[in-house]
Amino acid sequence: MMVLYHLHNPTAPAFVTTCNVCHLDIETGQGWRCEVCPDFDVCNACFQRDGGIDHPHKLTNHPSMAERDAQNKEARQLRVLQ
């Protein structure tokens, strides 16, 4: 059934990250990821609540799909110019 769902909804995300604090799904580009831990993600709401998250490593902002597409397009244009 999942294969049929993704065949009929090709733009739906295949994998959804979940917040490690509140356990809710994180929308694309709306969360923070640990640079060291392989699977530590936090949503914006939990990251901003109570002065941040008590995590020993640095958290970086997830890039949104639009930002990733723009970066890929810029990189492709630079390769073409080279």
Side-chain angles (χ1 to χ4, degrees), residues 2-80:
M2 289 302 295
V3 171
L4 292 175
Y5 172 80
H6 285 287
L7 285 174
H8 290 288
N9 300 295
T11 58
F15 301 101
V16 180
T17 55
T18 305
C19 178
N20 286 65
V21 177
C22 67
H23 305 289
L24 295 176
D25 292 341
I26 301 174
E27 294 182 26
T28 304
Q30 299 297 315
W32 296 80
R33 176 170 288 150
C34 178
E35 294 181 349
V36 178
C37 300
D39 189 27
F40 187 83
D41 301 294
V42 180
C43 66
N44 281 340
C46 290
F47 183 78
Q48 295 173 353
R49 186 179 326 136
D50 298 330
I53 299 298
D54 185 26
H55 187 69
H57 307 124
K58 182 180 179 185
L59 300 175
T60 56
N61 196 359
H62 286 245
S64 68
M65 292 299 279
E67 291 171 353
R68 274 190 251 159
D69 290 345
Q71 290 172 352
N72 288 341
K73 192 176 287 186
E74 290 174 7
R76 190 177 305 121
Q77 287 175 346
L78 285 173
R79 285 193 301 267
V80 166

